[in-house]
Amino acid sequence: HNVNLFGVVMKAAYLPYAYLLMGYALSNGEVVPMDMLHGMFVGHVYYYLACVVPTVLGRGKVVIWTPGVLVDLCNWLEGRRVGGGPDDDVDGNEPI
């Protein structure tokens, strides 16, 4: 997928790096935007634990899952159905 960032078209995979470069440029090159670096690191760790590890370990071996409150909040913000019981897991995986 492509995205348009202030008139510059790029692949969506490069968007975090573009934000990092913009943060560095807006601080006149004096400060590395550590909050963005931390966010990128945490996002990669979460993706690895939520998507890669269960694939390697086999189906049903979930290491980390998104809290239901956060899932409900995102669904509510996007206008989707909110709530559900404990059996109503979003991705079909049960935590270990």
Side-chain angles (χ1 to χ4, degrees), residues 1-3 10-19 40 44:
H1 299 333
N2 290 333
V3 294
M10 67 182 76
K11 292 187 178 192
Y14 299 126
L15 189 61
Y17 303 108
Y19 283 139
M40 291 170 71
H44 279 84

Side-chain angles (χ1 to χ4, degrees), residues 18-68:
Y19 283 139
L20 187 64
L21 182 65
M22 284 176 42
Y24 184 72
L26 290 173
S27 68
N28 292 327
E30 296 174 2
V31 179
V32 176
M34 292 302 291
D35 55 341
M36 291 182 188
L37 286 174
H38 288 137
M40 291 170 71
F41 175 75
V42 169
H44 279 84
V45 168
Y46 178 82
Y47 175 78
Y48 180 77
L49 292 175
C51 298
V52 175
V53 171
T55 302
V56 172
L57 294 179
R59 183 151 175 82
K61 301 287 185 184
V62 177
V63 177
I64 190 171
W65 59 93
T66 307

